[in-house]
Amino acid sequence: MRIEREHTAALIVDFQERLVPVIADHEALMERVRILLRGLKALEIPMTVTQQYTKGLGMSVPEVWEASGETEYLDKISFSALEVAEPKIHDKKYILVCGMEAHCCVLQTVIDLAGAGYVPVLVTDCIGSRRESDREMAIRRAEQEGAVLTSSEAILFELLKEAGTPLSKEILKIVK
């Protein structure tokens, strides 16, 4: 099954000011997230930013806004992002998911996406938890629930589909 650009949207789940600093290896994670979001922007993949209980956890970190080019977010109190995001993704088949925490909001979003008939695509190098063991468990569970596992670079090239174009040159600059 090839993940096709025209049938794809992305959910950017809860990269918030009070969460990011406590996530394991958060600096490396945020570098991968910047690459993913810049690539998705170049590929014109629709992106939806969510925030869990903004009043308590703060706004999404500046890196998310800068890399994605998005200016709005959807606030949520349920752990899953599906309910608030569905109006924005309802016409897509493949939903890329990145975010935190992997074992809570990300995992529940993936489970709900699969249950609603979407194909959740978990970008495994763009998810994080406070403990690495929670992140690893979330990946295993997501796969059991039907998520397609990928990495930021792999999905960008899959969505790109071909080399030798101005867009492929732009993606190459982003991932290098």
Side-chain angles (χ1 to χ4, degrees), residues 45-115:
I45 300 297
M47 292 181 267
T48 301
V49 176
T50 69
Q51 294 179 179
Q52 177 73 23
Y53 183 60
T54 303
K55 180 179 172 186
L57 296 175
M59 293 295 292
S60 294
V61 294
E63 296 94 325
V64 167
W65 303 119
E66 292 162 10
S68 70
E70 296 298 311
T71 58
E72 298 179 0
Y73 68 92
L74 300 176
D75 202 18
K76 64 186 184 66
I77 56 170
S78 67
F79 295 117
S80 172
L82 179 61
E83 186 177 318
V84 297
E86 190 152 41
K88 292 190 165 244
I89 64 169
H90 74 277
D91 62 337
K92 302 298 181 181
K93 177 178 181 179
Y94 307 104
I95 310 300
L96 307 181
V97 182
C98 63
M100 53 187 58
E101 284 195 64
H103 64 289
C104 187
C105 295
V106 170
L107 179 59
Q108 290 184 40
T109 298
V110 164
I111 291 168
D112 286 353
L113 285 166

